[in-house]
Amino acid sequence: MINRSSSLPSIESVCLRCLRRLSRPFFQSEQRPFSATAQHRGSVLPNRRRRGPLRKEYFLANGFLKSGRRSVGGGVLSYSVPVAEERASERRDTSYKTYPAPSFETSRYEVLPRQLPRRRRGESRHDEVTASAATAGADSVIPPDASSRLTTISSALPNNSLRRLFTTYLSLSKPRLSFLIVLTTSTAYSLYPVPALLLPSTTASPSLSALTLLFLTTGTALSCGSANTLNMLLEPTYDAKMSRTRNRPLVRKLITPRAALIFAVITGSAGLGALYYGVNPTVAFLSGLNIFLYAGVYTPLKRISVANTWVGALVGGIPPLMGWAAAAGQSATGDGWWKLLLGEENTGGWLLAGLLFTWQFPHFNALSWSIRDEYRNAGYRMLCWVNPPANGRVAFRYSLLCFPICVGLWWVGVTDQGFLVTSSVVNAWMAREAYKFWRLEGQKGSARALFWASVWHLPVVMCLCMAHKQGLWQDVCRSVMGTGDGEFVEQEIWDDEMEAQDPPGGKAKAIVL
């Protein structure tokens, strides 16, 4: 076998057939040659122009051989032309096509180190987890929606079953959001400062009516279901464009729009009726106003202006006022909504409403940031994509407002001094995460951290308010120790009433007579 990477030892040992083969143009081959040394791989044969069987090189074979290098290696005859002479020939004659020498990449023939099977399995699992985390995104903060879960459960049930019907209607009411609103309403109801005449120490009945609380929670839950159903009725086309809402019952066509509208009317009427007859007309008016603001103003405003976030925060601040007005109505001396909402004694209710209003911005701004592209594609004008820097600033500013609001609850006598310390810890946690969210612009997991901080912030602060209610622990200590302070309180109330009935100096005149 003749190889072209070395030359012949003498002219007499080469036949004419081999000379003709050496003069043919070299075509690049995809196969790897037998000889893979660096010298053989780097050698390149010149390409000659074919001019017929009787060409110039046939008669000038001796001169052709002298221009090359002659060598014998390993018993294999080969021939090569110096690279400098080849390049000079290419510069002299460029009319024919040249073929470069084959190049071999060492990475193709790299030998991987052998690994144990268990290590390979561990590395493959690690790669899968990393790939799934990268696909899901580091800032995906939204948990599964309760309505979407219920819709999935309902779609798997038989068509005509009562359980499927109940689950579908329950998903229309957004149970998680409704529960949060009922929680804030009942918290404000329990935080209302009870007058001395209605204290349990002076009356045989509880300070606030449990039946009123039952009507309040039931009517609020039904009103929430009506407002949420109307919200879904107005935007099924837009809900289908977002991953967070595309699994809702109206999008999945598990229920007709007519049936959903009937459900919204029935629940709204029942809820407002329960609040009107079981609590007071002021609370019923506030609930009806909330339904109108959420379904009639907030829902269409989402596709018009970023001011929809402030309207939605206002909707979230009304339920504490409902609970406060429900408790105030039990001790009011006259009719009139101003006595239930206005005045110094009702400042605590407005502070609770302000706390819910400010909490909405850190919570929603962090939630909306992770799906800002979906909001843009669906046509919702949210601050997260319209003005991303302002989105973080607004969340941080409103998180700082939680500090003075909690101080105000102590100042007006709703909570004790211990609430200043415990609430400040929780508020500092959320403010810290809001600051990171603002500075990092939602990156590096800051949106996720702020979202979960806001999720825990509201129920913890509400529970701290009830635990630090003004005078709560004094009453507990008196009940446990049995000091009998209730008798002294009753005697003081009786003396005050007797002094109000007797004219000044009346007792002295009786003694003189």
Side-chain angles (χ1 to χ4, degrees), residues 311-368:
V311 177
L314 181 63
V315 172
I318 291 179
L321 280 178
M322 294 171 54
W324 192 272
Q330 301 186 40
S331 59
T333 56
D335 298 332
W337 60 271
W338 59 90
K339 293 184 179 180
L340 304 181
L341 297 178
L342 303 180
E344 295 182 359
E345 64 277 6
N346 297 318
T347 307
W350 289 99
L351 288 173
L352 290 174
L355 181 63
L356 266 294
F357 180 83
T358 57
W359 173 85
Q360 302 277 336
F361 294 93
H363 176 74
F364 181 76
N365 288 13
L367 183 147
S368 61

Short mmCIF file of all heavy atoms in Angstrom, two decimals, residues 311-368:
data_model
loop_
_atom_site.label_atom_id
_atom_site.label_comp_id
_atom_site.label_asym_id
_atom_site.label_seq_id
_atom_site.Cartn_x
_atom_site.Cartn_y
_atom_site.Cartn_z
N VAL A 311 -57.93 50.88 43.49
CA VAL A 311 -59.35 50.56 43.68
C VAL A 311 -59.49 49.18 44.33
O VAL A 311 -60.31 48.98 45.24
CB VAL A 311 -60.09 50.61 42.34
CG1 VAL A 311 -61.55 50.20 42.51
CG2 VAL A 311 -60.02 52.00 41.73
N GLY A 312 -58.69 48.22 43.90
CA GLY A 312 -58.72 46.90 44.53
C GLY A 312 -58.30 46.95 45.98
O GLY A 312 -58.85 46.21 46.82
N ALA A 313 -57.33 47.81 46.32
CA ALA A 313 -56.93 47.96 47.72
C ALA A 313 -58.05 48.57 48.55
O ALA A 313 -58.24 48.22 49.73
CB ALA A 313 -55.67 48.81 47.81
N LEU A 314 -58.81 49.49 47.95
CA LEU A 314 -59.96 50.07 48.65
C LEU A 314 -61.03 49.02 48.93
O LEU A 314 -61.65 49.01 50.00
CB LEU A 314 -60.54 51.21 47.81
CG LEU A 314 -61.74 51.95 48.39
CD1 LEU A 314 -61.37 52.64 49.69
CD2 LEU A 314 -62.28 52.97 47.38
N VAL A 315 -61.22 48.12 47.98
CA VAL A 315 -62.17 47.02 48.19
C VAL A 315 -61.72 46.15 49.36
O VAL A 315 -62.54 45.69 50.17
CB VAL A 315 -62.30 46.19 46.90
CG1 VAL A 315 -63.12 44.93 47.14
CG2 VAL A 315 -62.95 47.03 45.80
N GLY A 316 -60.42 45.91 49.48
CA GLY A 316 -59.93 45.10 50.58
C GLY A 316 -59.97 45.80 51.92
O GLY A 316 -59.95 45.12 52.97
N GLY A 317 -60.05 47.14 51.94
CA GLY A 317 -60.10 47.85 53.21
C GLY A 317 -61.49 48.04 53.78
O GLY A 317 -61.64 48.42 54.95
N ILE A 318 -62.53 47.77 53.02
CA ILE A 318 -63.91 47.95 53.51
C ILE A 318 -64.34 46.87 54.50
O ILE A 318 -65.07 47.18 55.46
CB ILE A 318 -64.87 48.05 52.31
CG1 ILE A 318 -64.63 49.37 51.56
CG2 ILE A 318 -66.33 47.96 52.75
CD1 ILE A 318 -65.51 49.56 50.35
N PRO A 319 -64.00 45.59 54.35
CA PRO A 319 -64.46 44.58 55.31
C PRO A 319 -64.15 44.87 56.78
O PRO A 319 -65.02 44.62 57.64
CB PRO A 319 -63.76 43.30 54.82
CG PRO A 319 -63.62 43.50 53.36
CD PRO A 319 -63.34 44.96 53.20
N PRO A 320 -62.96 45.40 57.16
CA PRO A 320 -62.79 45.75 58.58
C PRO A 320 -63.79 46.81 59.06
O PRO A 320 -64.23 46.77 60.23
CB PRO A 320 -61.35 46.26 58.64
CG PRO A 320 -60.66 45.62 57.49
CD PRO A 320 -61.70 45.53 56.42
N LEU A 321 -64.13 47.75 58.20
CA LEU A 321 -65.15 48.73 58.58
C LEU A 321 -66.50 48.06 58.80
O LEU A 321 -67.28 48.49 59.69
CB LEU A 321 -65.28 49.80 57.49
CG LEU A 321 -64.22 50.92 57.48
CD1 LEU A 321 -64.48 51.86 56.32
CD2 LEU A 321 -64.21 51.67 58.80
N MET A 322 -66.81 47.04 58.05
CA MET A 322 -68.07 46.31 58.23
C MET A 322 -68.09 45.64 59.61
O MET A 322 -69.11 45.70 60.32
CB MET A 322 -68.23 45.26 57.13
CG MET A 322 -68.40 45.84 55.74
SD MET A 322 -68.31 44.59 54.43
CE MET A 322 -69.55 43.43 54.98
N GLY A 323 -67.00 44.99 59.98
CA GLY A 323 -66.96 44.36 61.30
C GLY A 323 -67.03 45.37 62.43
O GLY A 323 -67.70 45.13 63.45
N TRP A 324 -66.37 46.50 62.26
CA TRP A 324 -66.40 47.53 63.31
C TRP A 324 -67.81 48.13 63.44
O TRP A 324 -68.30 48.34 64.55
CB TRP A 324 -65.39 48.61 62.96
CG TRP A 324 -65.12 49.56 64.08
CD1 TRP A 324 -65.80 50.70 64.36
CD2 TRP A 324 -64.09 49.45 65.07
NE1 TRP A 324 -65.27 51.33 65.45
CE2 TRP A 324 -64.22 50.59 65.92
CE3 TRP A 324 -63.09 48.54 65.33
CZ2 TRP A 324 -63.37 50.81 66.99
CZ3 TRP A 324 -62.24 48.76 66.40
CH2 TRP A 324 -62.38 49.87 67.22
N ALA A 325 -68.44 48.41 62.31
CA ALA A 325 -69.80 48.96 62.36
C ALA A 325 -70.79 47.96 62.93
O ALA A 325 -71.77 48.34 63.58
CB ALA A 325 -70.23 49.40 60.96
N ALA A 326 -70.55 46.67 62.69
CA ALA A 326 -71.45 45.65 63.26
C ALA A 326 -71.36 45.62 64.77
O ALA A 326 -72.38 45.48 65.46
CB ALA A 326 -71.11 44.29 62.67
N ALA A 327 -70.15 45.77 65.31
CA ALA A 327 -70.00 45.79 66.77
C ALA A 327 -70.49 47.10 67.37
O ALA A 327 -71.08 47.11 68.46
CB ALA A 327 -68.54 45.54 67.13
N ALA A 328 -70.25 48.19 66.66
CA ALA A 328 -70.69 49.49 67.19
C ALA A 328 -72.20 49.61 67.21
O ALA A 328 -72.77 50.34 68.03
CB ALA A 328 -70.08 50.62 66.36
N GLY A 329 -72.88 48.91 66.31
CA GLY A 329 -74.33 48.99 66.27
C GLY A 329 -75.01 48.40 67.48
O GLY A 329 -76.18 48.71 67.75
N GLN A 330 -74.33 47.57 68.26
CA GLN A 330 -74.95 46.95 69.43
C GLN A 330 -74.96 47.87 70.63
O GLN A 330 -75.71 47.63 71.59
CB GLN A 330 -74.21 45.66 69.79
CG GLN A 330 -74.21 44.64 68.66
CD GLN A 330 -73.59 43.32 69.09
OE1 GLN A 330 -73.79 42.85 70.20
NE2 GLN A 330 -72.84 42.71 68.18
N SER A 331 -74.13 48.90 70.61
CA SER A 331 -74.09 49.83 71.73
C SER A 331 -74.47 51.25 71.34
O SER A 331 -74.37 52.15 72.16
CB SER A 331 -72.69 49.84 72.35
OG SER A 331 -71.72 50.22 71.39
N ALA A 332 -74.88 51.46 70.07
CA ALA A 332 -75.25 52.80 69.63
C ALA A 332 -76.56 53.22 70.29
O ALA A 332 -77.48 52.42 70.44
CB ALA A 332 -75.38 52.84 68.11
N THR A 333 -76.65 54.49 70.68
CA THR A 333 -77.84 55.01 71.36
C THR A 333 -78.88 55.56 70.40
O THR A 333 -79.99 55.89 70.81
CB THR A 333 -77.43 56.12 72.34
OG1 THR A 333 -76.72 57.14 71.61
CG2 THR A 333 -76.55 55.55 73.43
N GLY A 334 -78.54 55.67 69.12
CA GLY A 334 -79.48 56.20 68.15
C GLY A 334 -79.19 55.65 66.77
O GLY A 334 -78.21 54.95 66.55
N ASP A 335 -80.07 55.95 65.86
CA ASP A 335 -79.89 55.50 64.49
C ASP A 335 -79.03 56.51 63.73
O ASP A 335 -78.95 57.68 64.07
CB ASP A 335 -81.25 55.34 63.81
CG ASP A 335 -82.11 54.28 64.49
OD1 ASP A 335 -81.50 53.36 65.07
OD2 ASP A 335 -83.35 54.40 64.44
N GLY A 336 -78.42 56.02 62.65
CA GLY A 336 -77.59 56.89 61.83
C GLY A 336 -76.25 56.25 61.56
O GLY A 336 -75.60 55.74 62.49
N TRP A 337 -75.86 56.26 60.28
CA TRP A 337 -74.60 55.62 59.91
C TRP A 337 -73.40 56.39 60.44
O TRP A 337 -72.33 55.81 60.67
CB TRP A 337 -74.50 55.51 58.40
CG TRP A 337 -74.54 56.84 57.69
CD1 TRP A 337 -75.63 57.49 57.25
CD2 TRP A 337 -73.41 57.66 57.39
NE1 TRP A 337 -75.28 58.69 56.68
CE2 TRP A 337 -73.91 58.81 56.74
CE3 TRP A 337 -72.04 57.55 57.59
CZ2 TRP A 337 -73.08 59.84 56.32
CZ3 TRP A 337 -71.21 58.56 57.16
CH2 TRP A 337 -71.72 59.68 56.52
N TRP A 338 -73.53 57.70 60.67
CA TRP A 338 -72.39 58.49 61.14
C TRP A 338 -71.97 58.11 62.55
O TRP A 338 -70.81 58.25 62.91
CB TRP A 338 -72.73 59.98 61.07
CG TRP A 338 -73.93 60.38 61.88
CD1 TRP A 338 -73.96 60.78 63.17
CD2 TRP A 338 -75.27 60.40 61.42
NE1 TRP A 338 -75.23 61.05 63.57
CE2 TRP A 338 -76.07 60.84 62.52
CE3 TRP A 338 -75.90 60.10 60.21
CZ2 TRP A 338 -77.46 60.97 62.43
CZ3 TRP A 338 -77.28 60.24 60.12
CH2 TRP A 338 -78.04 60.66 61.21
N LYS A 339 -72.92 57.60 63.34
CA LYS A 339 -72.57 57.17 64.69
C LYS A 339 -71.82 55.84 64.70
O LYS A 339 -71.20 55.49 65.69
CB LYS A 339 -73.83 57.05 65.54
CG LYS A 339 -74.52 58.38 65.81
CD LYS A 339 -75.70 58.22 66.73
CE LYS A 339 -76.34 59.57 67.00
NZ LYS A 339 -77.52 59.46 67.90
N LEU A 340 -71.92 55.09 63.59
CA LEU A 340 -71.24 53.81 63.50
C LEU A 340 -69.88 53.90 62.81
O LEU A 340 -69.04 53.01 62.97
CB LEU A 340 -72.11 52.80 62.75
CG LEU A 340 -73.52 52.57 63.30
CD1 LEU A 340 -74.24 51.53 62.46
CD2 LEU A 340 -73.46 52.13 64.74
N LEU A 341 -69.68 54.96 62.03
CA LEU A 341 -68.44 55.07 61.27
C LEU A 341 -67.62 56.30 61.62
O LEU A 341 -66.39 56.27 61.45
CB LEU A 341 -68.76 55.09 59.76
CG LEU A 341 -69.42 53.84 59.18
CD1 LEU A 341 -69.72 54.04 57.71
CD2 LEU A 341 -68.53 52.63 59.38
N LEU A 342 -68.25 57.38 62.06
CA LEU A 342 -67.54 58.61 62.34
C LEU A 342 -67.41 58.81 63.85
O LEU A 342 -68.08 58.17 64.65
CB LEU A 342 -68.26 59.80 61.70
CG LEU A 342 -68.47 59.71 60.18
CD1 LEU A 342 -69.19 60.93 59.67
CD2 LEU A 342 -67.15 59.52 59.46
N GLY A 343 -66.54 59.72 64.23
CA GLY A 343 -66.32 59.99 65.65
C GLY A 343 -65.02 59.39 66.14
O GLY A 343 -64.42 58.50 65.52
N GLU A 344 -64.57 59.90 67.29
CA GLU A 344 -63.30 59.43 67.86
C GLU A 344 -63.36 57.97 68.27
O GLU A 344 -62.35 57.26 68.21
CB GLU A 344 -62.94 60.29 69.07
CG GLU A 344 -62.65 61.75 68.72
CD GLU A 344 -62.26 62.55 69.94
OE1 GLU A 344 -62.24 61.95 71.04
OE2 GLU A 344 -61.98 63.75 69.81
N GLU A 345 -64.52 57.51 68.71
CA GLU A 345 -64.62 56.11 69.16
C GLU A 345 -64.53 55.12 68.01
O GLU A 345 -64.36 53.91 68.24
CB GLU A 345 -65.92 55.89 69.91
CG GLU A 345 -67.19 56.08 69.07
CD GLU A 345 -67.63 57.52 68.95
OE1 GLU A 345 -66.89 58.40 69.43
OE2 GLU A 345 -68.73 57.77 68.40
N ASN A 346 -64.63 55.59 66.76
CA ASN A 346 -64.55 54.71 65.59
C ASN A 346 -63.23 54.85 64.84
O ASN A 346 -63.11 54.34 63.72
CB ASN A 346 -65.71 55.00 64.63
CG ASN A 346 -67.06 54.72 65.26
OD1 ASN A 346 -67.24 53.71 65.96
ND2 ASN A 346 -68.01 55.61 65.04
N THR A 347 -62.25 55.49 65.43
CA THR A 347 -60.96 55.64 64.78
C THR A 347 -60.27 54.30 64.59
O THR A 347 -59.56 54.09 63.59
CB THR A 347 -60.06 56.58 65.60
OG1 THR A 347 -60.76 57.81 65.85
CG2 THR A 347 -58.76 56.88 64.87
N GLY A 348 -60.46 53.39 65.51
CA GLY A 348 -59.84 52.07 65.40
C GLY A 348 -60.29 51.32 64.16
O GLY A 348 -59.49 50.60 63.53
N GLY A 349 -61.56 51.45 63.79
CA GLY A 349 -62.04 50.79 62.59
C GLY A 349 -61.38 51.32 61.33
O GLY A 349 -61.04 50.56 60.42
N TRP A 350 -61.19 52.63 61.27
CA TRP A 350 -60.52 53.21 60.11
C TRP A 350 -59.04 52.83 60.07
O TRP A 350 -58.46 52.69 58.98
CB TRP A 350 -60.67 54.74 60.13
CG TRP A 350 -62.07 55.18 59.83
CD1 TRP A 350 -63.03 55.54 60.73
CD2 TRP A 350 -62.66 55.29 58.54
NE1 TRP A 350 -64.19 55.87 60.09
CE2 TRP A 350 -64.00 55.73 58.74
CE3 TRP A 350 -62.22 55.07 57.25
CZ2 TRP A 350 -64.88 55.94 57.69
CZ3 TRP A 350 -63.09 55.29 56.19
CH2 TRP A 350 -64.39 55.72 56.40
N LEU A 351 -58.41 52.68 61.22
CA LEU A 351 -57.01 52.23 61.23
C LEU A 351 -56.89 50.80 60.74
O LEU A 351 -55.94 50.46 60.01
CB LEU A 351 -56.44 52.36 62.65
CG LEU A 351 -56.17 53.78 63.13
CD1 LEU A 351 -55.76 53.77 64.60
CD2 LEU A 351 -55.10 54.44 62.28
N LEU A 352 -57.82 49.95 61.12
CA LEU A 352 -57.80 48.58 60.60
C LEU A 352 -58.04 48.55 59.09
O LEU A 352 -57.41 47.76 58.37
CB LEU A 352 -58.86 47.74 61.32
CG LEU A 352 -58.60 47.41 62.79
CD1 LEU A 352 -59.80 46.71 63.40
CD2 LEU A 352 -57.35 46.55 62.94
N ALA A 353 -58.94 49.40 58.62
CA ALA A 353 -59.15 49.49 57.17
C ALA A 353 -57.89 49.99 56.47
O ALA A 353 -57.55 49.51 55.38
CB ALA A 353 -60.33 50.42 56.88
N GLY A 354 -57.19 50.96 57.08
CA GLY A 354 -55.93 51.43 56.50
C GLY A 354 -54.86 50.36 56.48
O GLY A 354 -54.05 50.29 55.55
N LEU A 355 -54.84 49.50 57.50
CA LEU A 355 -53.87 48.40 57.52
C LEU A 355 -54.12 47.44 56.37
O LEU A 355 -53.16 46.99 55.69
CB LEU A 355 -53.95 47.67 58.86
CG LEU A 355 -52.98 46.50 59.05
CD1 LEU A 355 -51.54 46.98 59.01
CD2 LEU A 355 -53.27 45.78 60.37
N LEU A 356 -55.38 47.12 56.12
CA LEU A 356 -55.69 46.24 54.99
C LEU A 356 -55.41 46.92 53.66
O LEU A 356 -54.97 46.28 52.69
CB LEU A 356 -57.16 45.81 55.05
CG LEU A 356 -57.48 44.50 55.75
CD1 LEU A 356 -56.90 43.33 54.98
CD2 LEU A 356 -56.95 44.47 57.18
N PHE A 357 -55.63 48.22 53.58
CA PHE A 357 -55.36 48.96 52.35
C PHE A 357 -53.87 48.95 52.01
O PHE A 357 -53.49 48.70 50.86
CB PHE A 357 -55.88 50.39 52.50
CG PHE A 357 -55.66 51.25 51.29
CD1 PHE A 357 -56.54 51.21 50.22
CD2 PHE A 357 -54.57 52.10 51.21
CE1 PHE A 357 -56.35 52.01 49.10
CE2 PHE A 357 -54.35 52.90 50.09
CZ PHE A 357 -55.24 52.85 49.04
N THR A 358 -53.03 49.23 52.98
CA THR A 358 -51.59 49.27 52.72
C THR A 358 -51.02 47.88 52.46
O THR A 358 -50.06 47.73 51.70
CB THR A 358 -50.86 49.90 53.91
OG1 THR A 358 -51.17 49.16 55.11
CG2 THR A 358 -51.31 51.35 54.10
N TRP A 359 -51.58 46.87 53.09
CA TRP A 359 -51.06 45.51 52.90
C TRP A 359 -51.26 45.02 51.48
O TRP A 359 -50.49 44.17 51.00
CB TRP A 359 -51.76 44.57 53.88
CG TRP A 359 -51.43 43.13 53.68
CD1 TRP A 359 -50.36 42.45 54.18
CD2 TRP A 359 -52.19 42.18 52.91
NE1 TRP A 359 -50.39 41.13 53.77
CE2 TRP A 359 -51.50 40.95 52.99
CE3 TRP A 359 -53.35 42.25 52.17
CZ2 TRP A 359 -51.97 39.80 52.36
CZ3 TRP A 359 -53.81 41.11 51.54
CH2 TRP A 359 -53.12 39.91 51.63
N GLN A 360 -52.25 45.53 50.77
CA GLN A 360 -52.55 45.05 49.43
C GLN A 360 -51.38 45.26 48.46
O GLN A 360 -51.14 44.43 47.58
CB GLN A 360 -53.78 45.77 48.87
CG GLN A 360 -55.03 45.63 49.69
CD GLN A 360 -55.78 44.35 49.41
OE1 GLN A 360 -55.65 43.77 48.35
NE2 GLN A 360 -56.58 43.92 50.37
N PHE A 361 -50.62 46.34 48.62
CA PHE A 361 -49.61 46.70 47.63
C PHE A 361 -48.38 45.79 47.69
O PHE A 361 -47.93 45.30 46.64
CB PHE A 361 -49.24 48.17 47.79
CG PHE A 361 -50.37 49.10 47.46
CD1 PHE A 361 -51.21 49.56 48.46
CD2 PHE A 361 -50.60 49.49 46.16
CE1 PHE A 361 -52.26 50.41 48.16
CE2 PHE A 361 -51.65 50.35 45.85
CZ PHE A 361 -52.49 50.80 46.85
N PRO A 362 -47.78 45.55 48.85
CA PRO A 362 -46.67 44.57 48.85
C PRO A 362 -47.11 43.19 48.39
O PRO A 362 -46.36 42.50 47.69
CB PRO A 362 -46.20 44.57 50.31
CG PRO A 362 -46.69 45.84 50.89
CD PRO A 362 -47.96 46.16 50.18
N HIS A 363 -48.33 42.80 48.75
CA HIS A 363 -48.79 41.47 48.39
C HIS A 363 -49.04 41.34 46.90
O HIS A 363 -48.49 40.45 46.23
CB HIS A 363 -50.07 41.16 49.17
CG HIS A 363 -50.69 39.84 48.82
ND1 HIS A 363 -50.17 38.64 49.22
CD2 HIS A 363 -51.80 39.54 48.09
CE1 HIS A 363 -50.91 37.66 48.75
NE2 HIS A 363 -51.91 38.17 48.06
N PHE A 364 -49.83 42.25 46.33
CA PHE A 364 -50.19 42.12 44.93
C PHE A 364 -49.03 42.46 44.00
O PHE A 364 -48.89 41.86 42.94
CB PHE A 364 -51.39 43.00 44.61
CG PHE A 364 -51.84 42.91 43.19
CD1 PHE A 364 -52.55 41.81 42.74
CD2 PHE A 364 -51.54 43.92 42.29
CE1 PHE A 364 -52.95 41.71 41.41
CE2 PHE A 364 -51.93 43.83 40.96
CZ PHE A 364 -52.64 42.73 40.53
N ASN A 365 -48.21 43.45 44.35
CA ASN A 365 -47.11 43.81 43.47
C ASN A 365 -46.10 42.68 43.35
O ASN A 365 -45.53 42.45 42.28
CB ASN A 365 -46.42 45.07 44.00
CG ASN A 365 -47.27 46.31 43.80
OD1 ASN A 365 -48.45 46.21 43.50
ND2 ASN A 365 -46.68 47.47 43.95
N ALA A 366 -45.86 41.96 44.43
CA ALA A 366 -44.96 40.81 44.36
C ALA A 366 -45.60 39.66 43.59
O ALA A 366 -44.93 38.95 42.84
CB ALA A 366 -44.59 40.35 45.77
N LEU A 367 -46.91 39.49 43.78
CA LEU A 367 -47.61 38.41 43.06
C LEU A 367 -47.66 38.67 41.56
O LEU A 367 -47.43 37.77 40.75
CB LEU A 367 -49.01 38.26 43.64
CG LEU A 367 -49.91 37.15 43.11
CD1 LEU A 367 -50.81 36.65 44.22
CD2 LEU A 367 -50.78 37.63 41.96
N SER A 368 -47.95 39.90 41.18
CA SER A 368 -48.12 40.20 39.76
C SER A 368 -46.79 40.25 39.01
O SER A 368 -46.77 40.10 37.79
CB SER A 368 -48.85 41.54 39.61
OG SER A 368 -48.09 42.59 40.19
#
